[in-house]
C-alpha cells in the first residue's frame, strides 16, 4: 500500500466518523432536549403548585427554566466530569506533576497554596 493510499483511507475513515457524530447529534440532541424539558415540565406542574402555591407552567417555560438553570448552575456537569479522563490536558499535566512529587514537595506546595489562596477546609486536624 502506498503512503498516499493510507492517508486517503485515514481521511475517509475520519470523515465517516465526523458524519456519524453529526447525524447522531442531529437525532439525539432534539430528543434529549424534549425529554429533559418534559421532565422539568411534569415535575414542576406536579410539585410546585401543591408545595409552594405556584402556578403551572407550559412546556416552553419549562425549557426556558432548564436553560436558565444550566446557565446559573454551570451547565451539564456531572460527577463524572472530574474524573481522570475528564481533566483536560492542563489537569492531566498537573496530576502527573503531583504524582511525581515527593511527600515533602507536596507539603511545600500545599503551604504555598494556603498562603496564596487561604486554608483549604478539611476534616483532618491541622498539622502542628
Amino acid at each position: 500500500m502506498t503512503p498516499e493510499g493510507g492517508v486517503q483511507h485515514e481521511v475517509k475513515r475520519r470523515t465517516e466518523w465526523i458524519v456519524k457524530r453529526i447525524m447522531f447529534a442531529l437525532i439525539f440532541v432534539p430528543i434529549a432536549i424534549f425529554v429533559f424539558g418534559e421532565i422539568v415540565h411534569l415535575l414542576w406542574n406536579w410539585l410546585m403548585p401543591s408545595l409552594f402555591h405556584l402556578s403551572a407552567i407550559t412546556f416552553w417555560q419549562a425549557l426556558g427554566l432548564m436553560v436558565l438553570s444550566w446557565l446559573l448552575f454551570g451547565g451539564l456537569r456531572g460527577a463524572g466530569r472530574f474524573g481522570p479522563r475528564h481533566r483536560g490536558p492542563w489537569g492531566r499535566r498537573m496530576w502527573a506533576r503531583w504524582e511525581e512529587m515527593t511527600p515533602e514537595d507536596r507539603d511545600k506546595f500545599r503551604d504555598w497554596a494556603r498562603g496564596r489562596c487561604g486554608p483549604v477546609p478539611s476534616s483532618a486536624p491541622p498539622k502542628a
Side-chain angles (χ1 to χ4, degrees), residues 10-127:
E10 181 64 28
V11 168
K12 181 180 178 187
R13 193 174 65 79
R14 181 78 175 156
T15 303
E16 288 173 356
W17 183 83
I18 291 171
V19 168
K20 285 179 184 178
R21 290 287 182 156
I22 290 171
M23 295 290 286
F24 178 77
L26 288 174
I27 293 168
F28 178 73
V29 169
I31 292 171
I33 289 171
F34 172 77
V35 168
F36 285 115
E38 192 61 26
I39 289 171
V40 170
H41 177 228
L42 292 173
L43 283 172
W44 179 282
N45 288 340
W46 175 48
L47 294 171
M48 295 306 195
S50 61
L51 291 175
F52 302 109
H53 305 291
L54 297 172
S55 61
I57 61 174
T58 66
F59 171 76
W60 296 107
Q61 289 171 324
L63 274 182
L65 186 64
M66 191 170 62
V67 170
L68 179 64
S69 68
W70 286 344
L71 291 172
L72 293 176
F73 302 117
L76 298 171
R77 294 184 200 159
R81 181 177 171 93
F82 300 106
R85 285 185 38 217
H86 302 285
R87 283 196 177 101
W90 181 85
R92 284 191 290 272
R93 281 194 313 270
M94 291 303 291
W95 185 254
R97 289 175 67 186
W98 180 262
E99 290 292 315
E100 293 172 1
M101 287 183 183
T102 64
E104 295 82 21
D105 289 338
R106 290 180 185 180
D107 287 339
K108 190 175 173 183
F109 177 78
R110 283 188 191 108
D111 291 338
W112 173 83
R114 282 187 191 108
R116 187 171 171 112
C117 306
V120 177
S122 75
S123 59
K127 289 186 175 181

